[in-house]
Amino acid sequence: MKQDMIVILDLGSTENTVLAREIRDMGVYSEIHPHDITVKELQELNNVKGIILNGGENRIVDGQAVDVNPDIYDCGYPVMSVDHPTATCSQQLKALPEQDVLKEFIFDQCKAEPNWNMKNFVADQVELLRSQVGDRKVLLALSGGVDSSVVAALLLKAIGQQLVCVHVNHGLMRKNESESVVEIFGEQLHANLIYVNATERFLGKLEGVSEPEEKRKIIGGEFIRVFEEEARKLDGIDFLGQGTIYPDIIESGTKTAKMVKSHHNVGGLPEDLQFELVEPLKQLFKDEVRACGVELGLPAHMVYRQPFPGPGLGVRCLGAITRDRLEAVRESDAILQEEFKKAGLDQRVWQYFTVVPDFKSVGMRNHARSFEYMVIIRAINTVDAMTATIERVDWDVLEIITNRILNEVDNVNRVCYDMSPKPPATIEFE
């Protein structure tokens, strides 16, 4: 079933995503588009039922107020204007509360049906993917993260063995992470999966490198090289699958909003890319991606896993990466995950992890002086990752975690809890 759509035209609002989410929460699909969209481009979109002009503080660009193409008003769609934040479309609507104004416009004036749900989304995407790909093949870098896992499951449903997944283990994964990817996608879902264990290659390249940005560049660059090497071994690949999601596109900047951060899968691909892109999740927010994963039958531990940095544990093993500290990060993180789950904190805390600094502290072990590493625990809550607060973990839970880390993780004699909010701290340490 094709979902009805409300189009939001960005006229400088900082609340475009809030409005889009509000409309989707009503069961109606919505998309954000540039203010200067043409009538032809608008008509090429599927099932448009109405247009909302969303103005705001960024409406002035280079001294000029941006506006829509005037032909938009005459193309037959109901139009509502929202600005600092008053809504206008008719006198009777002005008297209604803001939420009711939106509902009145969407359902009474636009006659939109509340048919936006994951079952319909999956059905539509399967149809679209089969139409786009035909009998050709798609290559996907399957990291095991939420986005790539959901893309893989969706492509498997649509095109089966025409999907070729490449999972690169760079040695910086969480405990049993690569094994989980192989188990779920290789053995349970019977995906066409290529597993590459490049641990020694990555750790060799990273030896002695302590500067955080240099570490990130080495990890990212080497990953691309490994992926390209595997791709060259394959024949008949015409498409590259990507886990691009809506926030990636929005954060990479619009015509009236500055870039928050660049995303490799939005603006960082080479111009001479030999593949056509397949991005079935590019209009979904993160929670919608998770809902899609549930609809596709992926296990909860994969769908609801925490955000994980691209360089993996490489940015949580602070400074130059050593194998003993990398293992301390991996093992202590696994203990933290287990105990937070037992305490029910995995459902309440947005992100939690451990880091190990590149210095030692004095301690006691086996009745003798020891000189070992410390483990720092970080647990934070956030809505948009721009600011973050510290989770007030129960003292008894922290004591259990501390005792387990000190008793079960080699080369560690001290556990600390990070109390720093963002700002001035950041979420990750590097």
Side-chain angles (χ1 to χ4, degrees), residues 151-169:
V151 167
L154 188 53
L155 284 165
L156 276 172
K157 185 176 179 68
I159 61 172
Q161 293 300 299
Q162 293 167 243
L163 171 67
V164 180
C165 297
V166 177
H167 175 70
V168 179
N169 179 0

Side-chain angles (χ1 to χ4, degrees), residues 393-404:
V393 179
D394 183 82
W395 194 258
D396 291 339
V397 175
L398 280 178
E399 194 168 30
I400 292 170
I401 294 168
T402 298
N403 289 335
R404 282 198 62 190

Side-chain angles (χ1 to χ4, degrees), residues 20 22 153 202 278 283 350 404:
E22 192 171 359
F202 275 82
V278 173
Q283 297 297 343
W350 187 79
R404 282 198 62 190

Side-chain angles (χ1 to χ4, degrees), residues 188-290:
Q188 294 181 18
L189 299 179
H190 307 293
N192 188 356
L193 176 65
I194 298 169
Y195 171 71
V196 183
N197 188 346
T199 298
E200 295 303 319
R201 176 171 175 171
F202 275 82
L203 294 185
K205 294 281 186 179
L206 290 164
E207 188 173 355
V209 179
S210 60
E211 205 280 317
E213 194 60 28
E214 188 178 356
K215 286 190 339 188
R216 287 178 180 271
K217 288 179 179 178
I218 289 172
I219 295 167
E222 200 63 21
F223 180 89
I224 292 172
R225 279 188 281 275
V226 172
F227 187 71
E228 286 176 340
E229 288 169 14
E230 294 302 318
R232 281 196 290 270
K233 298 175 185 177
L234 303 169
D235 293 323
I237 303 291
D238 294 306
F239 297 91
L240 178 65
Q242 291 212 122
T244 309
I245 65 175
Y246 214 15
D248 296 340
I249 296 170
I250 295 166
E251 287 185 344
S252 293
T254 68
K255 294 180 179 179
T256 60
K258 294 179 180 178
M259 181 179 72
V260 177
K261 56 182 176 181
S262 61
H263 290 266
H264 69 279
N265 49 3
V266 176
L269 292 169
E271 292 183 5
D272 60 348
L273 186 70
Q274 300 300 307
F275 304 108
E276 183 180 336
L277 291 181
V278 173
E279 301 173 297
L281 305 181
K282 66 181 180 181
Q283 297 297 343
L284 295 188
F285 292 99
K286 192 71 172 188
D287 62 317
E288 294 171 333
V289 174
R290 297 186 196 279

Side-chain angles (χ1 to χ4, degrees), residues 86-377:
T86 59
T88 59
C89 57
S90 68
Q91 286 303 116
Q92 64 266 32
L93 291 187
K94 286 184 181 180
L96 294 173
E98 185 177 331
Q99 182 82 1
D100 290 342
V101 169
L102 197 55
K103 286 182 178 178
E104 179 85 9
F105 176 73
I106 291 169
F107 297 114
D108 293 350
Q109 296 202 17
C110 299
K111 308 298 183 187
E113 293 292 328
N115 54 14
W116 164 245
N117 57 60
M118 276 305 127
K119 184 176 182 179
N120 288 342
F121 173 81
V122 169
D124 282 353
Q125 287 301 317
V126 166
E127 182 182 331
L128 289 169
L129 286 167
R130 287 173 179 169
S131 175
Q132 180 184 8
V133 175
D135 60 356
R136 292 175 290 174
K137 292 181 181 179
V138 178
L139 183 65
L140 174 70
L142 177 58
S143 69
V146 177
D147 302 335
S148 71
S149 296
V150 174
V151 167
L154 188 53
L155 284 165
L156 276 172
K157 185 176 179 68
I159 61 172
Q161 293 300 299
Q162 293 167 243
L163 171 67
V164 180
C165 297
V166 177
H167 175 70
V168 179
N169 179 0
H170 50 29
L172 306 169
M173 312 290 280
R174 287 172 285 201
K175 188 173 183 178
N176 298 326
E177 196 160 28
S178 286
E179 292 84 349
S180 177
V181 171
V182 173
E183 164 68 22
I184 292 169
F185 286 96
E187 298 176 20
Q188 294 181 18
L189 299 179
H190 307 293
N192 188 356
L193 176 65
I194 298 169
Y195 171 71
V196 183
N197 188 346
T199 298
E200 295 303 319
R201 176 171 175 171
F202 275 82
L203 294 185
K205 294 281 186 179
L206 290 164
E207 188 173 355
V209 179
S210 60
E211 205 280 317
E213 194 60 28
E214 188 178 356
K215 286 190 339 188
R216 287 178 180 271
K217 288 179 179 178
I218 289 172
I219 295 167
E222 200 63 21
F223 180 89
I224 292 172
R225 279 188 281 275
V226 172
F227 187 71
E228 286 176 340
E229 288 169 14
E230 294 302 318
R232 281 196 290 270
K233 298 175 185 177
L234 303 169
D235 293 323
I237 303 291
D238 294 306
F239 297 91
L240 178 65
Q242 291 212 122
T244 309
I245 65 175
Y246 214 15
D248 296 340
I249 296 170
I250 295 166
E251 287 185 344
S252 293
T254 68
K255 294 180 179 179
T256 60
K258 294 179 180 178
M259 181 179 72
V260 177
K261 56 182 176 181
S262 61
H263 290 266
H264 69 279
N265 49 3
V266 176
L269 292 169
E271 292 183 5
D272 60 348
L273 186 70
Q274 300 300 307
F275 304 108
E276 183 180 336
L277 291 181
V278 173
E279 301 173 297
L281 305 181
K282 66 181 180 181
Q283 297 297 343
L284 295 188
F285 292 99
K286 192 71 172 188
D287 62 317
E288 294 171 333
V289 174
R290 297 186 196 279
C292 184
V294 171
E295 178 66 29
L296 290 163
L298 289 176
H301 72 83
M302 181 167 279
V303 171
Y304 292 104
R305 71 185 312 171
Q306 297 181 52
F308 192 56
L313 299 181
V315 292
R316 294 177 182 172
C317 183
L318 307 185
I321 297 171
T322 59
R323 293 172 189 261
D324 57 348
R325 285 192 301 111
L326 182 59
E327 194 60 22
V329 174
R330 184 176 285 118
E331 292 298 324
S332 60
D333 183 75
I335 290 170
L336 181 67
Q337 303 291 325
E338 288 176 20
E339 295 301 330
F340 263 43
K341 185 174 183 179
K342 287 180 186 176
L345 290 169
D346 61 324
Q347 301 296 314
R348 194 175 87 198
V349 183
W350 187 79
Q351 191 171 11
Y352 46 96
F353 55 89
T354 62
V355 300
V356 177
D358 57 347
F359 59 85
K360 297 180 178 181
S361 66
V362 68
M364 293 287 293
R365 189 172 297 279
N366 300 324
H367 308 289
R369 185 178 185 271
S370 68
F371 200 52
E372 298 173 308
Y373 297 112
M374 69 170 65
V375 167
I376 302 172
I377 297 171

